Amino acid sequence: MTEIVLHDVDQVLVDRIRRVADARGWTMPRTLLHLLEQGLHVYEGDGRVHFDNSENEVLQAALAALEGIPDDAGFAMIGKLPGDGSGA
């Protein structure tokens, strides 16, 4: 495997990486590899957020619950445009 060496890394960044490693019980090299892989995946992607099935189901249920709030002059109007007919 290729060795990559970083010089002059900000201590705050090193501390953040170390916290991830400690929280996961990973070595620093494994943590750095994982963070690089995930970061590249996000960076090279299309920028859209992707949910797994369980997250998607929870979000859909929350949206359905919000859509069921009856119209009134206050809370239910949050996020709605007056007179657009779409309700959102």
Side-chain angles (χ1 to χ4, degrees), residues 15-36:
D15 292 341
R16 291 174 64 196
I17 295 167
R18 186 171 289 117
R19 282 195 302 269
V20 171
D22 292 344
R24 302 288 194 277
W26 296 342
T27 63
M28 284 295 279
R30 179 178 178 195
T31 303
L32 288 167
L33 182 60
H34 181 76
L35 292 172
L36 282 170

Side-chain angles (χ1 to χ4, degrees), residues 48-86:
R48 292 185 292 174
V49 175
H50 302 280
F51 296 107
D52 66 29
N53 287 339
S54 64
E55 292 171 322
N56 190 45
E57 291 168 6
V58 170
L59 180 58
Q60 291 297 326
L63 290 173
L66 289 172
E67 289 170 353
I69 296 173
D71 286 337
D72 62 18
F75 182 77
M77 296 306 294
I78 294 172
K80 295 182 179 178
L81 298 175
D84 72 355
S86 71

